[in-house]
């Protein structure tokens, strides 16, 4: 099958896909948090994936991509600084999300940090799980809303800047640095989300940047992601 090639420059395609993954994944975490059919360890895995990847994504923008753009377009600095301020707001939301315990024996009586004592029985465990899910939901909704709002502000600034001020060679160098430093936290979920938000050609463009030793692992990562995402959506076995 011949894949229809992407219609935009790789910098915009890859950034758009990353943003769309963040949109879908943050929305899914909020939905899964309150779904009693979704095991808490599955939501914990998605939470950890999001916290690690969102932090890494905006840190690479602030520390590497923004300087590349402003070196060629100093007038863009003010708009990019405003986006960095929003990244700081996101960090606060991520801190709260990361701090939610997802262990039922650490959440009882509405306090997600309280410890269930021996002999408290199933009722206390149920109360503890409800407390965990409520705390996780509240924190996840905040992250979701911050991310979605931020991306509506960022993309109209960033996409034109990527087209106009970042050469293909510069983007390739940046993308390779990002891949090399990406935290190894539930990386298979990234493959699964990419498949959901991108065309086959767009996904292939992103995955072609993976290190050679990792590429043979992609089919297995894809299968694992499909299974885990089914569980998170309450459709898994």
């Amino acid at each position: 099958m011949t894949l229809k090639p992407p219609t935009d420059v790789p910098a915009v395609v890859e950034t758009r896909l990353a943003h769309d993954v963040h949109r879908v994944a943050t929305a899914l975490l909020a939905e899964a948090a309150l779904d009693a059919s979704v095991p808490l360890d599955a939501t914990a895995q998605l939470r950890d994936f999001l916290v690690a990847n969102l932090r890494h994504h905006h840190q690479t923008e602030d520390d590497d991509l923004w300087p590349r753009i402003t070196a060629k377009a100093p007038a863009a600095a003010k708009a990019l600084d405003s986006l960095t301020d929003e990244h700081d707001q996101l960090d606060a939301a991520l801190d709260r999300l990361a701090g939610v315990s997802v262990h039922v024996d650490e959440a009882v009586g509405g306090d997600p940090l309280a410890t269930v004592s021996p002999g408290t029985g199933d009722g206390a465990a149920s109360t503890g799980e409800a407390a965990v899910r409520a705390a996780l939901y509240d924190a996840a909704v905040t992250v979701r809303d911050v991310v979605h709002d931020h991306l509506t502000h960022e993309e109209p600034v960033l996409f034109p800047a990527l087209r106009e001020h970042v050469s293909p060679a510069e983007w390739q160098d940046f993308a390779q640095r990002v891949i090399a430093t990406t935290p190894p936290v539930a990386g298979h979920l990234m493959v699964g989300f990419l498949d959901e938000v991108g065309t086959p050609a767009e996904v292939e463009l992103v995955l072609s940047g993976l290190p050679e030793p990792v590429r043979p692992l992609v089919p297995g990562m894809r299968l694992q992601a499909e299974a885990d995402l089914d569980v998170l959506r309450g459709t898994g076995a």
Side-chain angles (χ1 to χ4, degrees):
M1 179 180 66
T2 302
L3 300 181
K4 184 178 180 180
T7 58
D8 210 333
V9 297
V12 172
V13 171
E14 294 182 36
T15 302
R16 174 174 54 78
L17 261 62
H19 287 180
D20 286 347
V21 166
H22 296 157
R23 288 183 173 101
V24 171
T26 54
L28 178 57
L29 180 60
E31 294 168 2
L34 291 184
D35 188 343
S37 71
V38 178
L40 283 172
D41 60 351
T43 61
Q45 177 180 244
L46 177 57
R47 186 271 307 271
D48 294 346
F49 165 82
L50 272 170
V51 170
N53 278 272
L54 284 167
R55 286 197 196 283
H56 180 255
H57 181 83
H58 77 67
Q59 286 170 355
T60 58
E61 288 181 333
D62 293 338
D63 298 342
D64 194 344
L65 187 55
W66 286 187
R68 292 175 189 258
I69 293 172
T70 56
K72 291 186 177 181
K78 183 177 180 180
L80 295 177
D81 286 345
S82 177
L83 295 173
T84 293
D85 290 342
E86 293 187 4
H87 289 166
D88 293 341
Q89 297 172 17
L90 174 58
D91 266 333
L94 290 173
D95 285 344
R96 181 184 171 205
L97 180 61
V100 176
S101 171
V102 292
H103 300 290
V104 172
D105 61 356
E106 295 176 0
V108 66
D111 181 358
L113 298 181
T115 302
V116 176
S117 59
T120 50
D122 292 341
S126 298
T127 300
E129 179 171 340
V132 167
R133 291 189 182 277
L136 185 62
Y137 173 77
D138 286 345
V141 165
T142 299
V143 169
R144 179 199 66 194
D145 292 349
V146 170
V147 166
H148 285 225
D149 287 346
H150 171 65
L151 294 179
T152 65
H153 301 155
E154 182 174 280
E155 290 176 346
V157 174
L158 180 55
F159 289 175
L162 290 175
R163 296 184 186 104
E164 298 169 15
H165 305 303
V166 179
S167 71
E170 287 173 322
W171 177 257
Q172 183 176 17
D173 178 69
F174 171 74
Q176 288 176 344
R177 290 172 183 265
V178 169
I179 290 172
T181 57
T182 295
V185 180
H188 65 288
L189 291 178
M190 179 61 77
V191 176
F193 283 124
L194 284 171
D195 284 341
E196 292 186 355
V197 303
T199 68
E202 290 172 340
V203 174
E204 177 58 30
L205 174 66
V206 175
L207 297 182
S208 67
L210 291 174
E212 187 62 38
V214 177
R215 293 178 194 173
L217 304 179
V218 169
M221 295 170 71
R222 180 169 277 126
L223 288 174
Q224 184 179 354
E226 289 176 357
D228 287 354
L229 291 173
D230 281 347
V231 170
L232 285 160
R233 293 190 170 103
T235 59

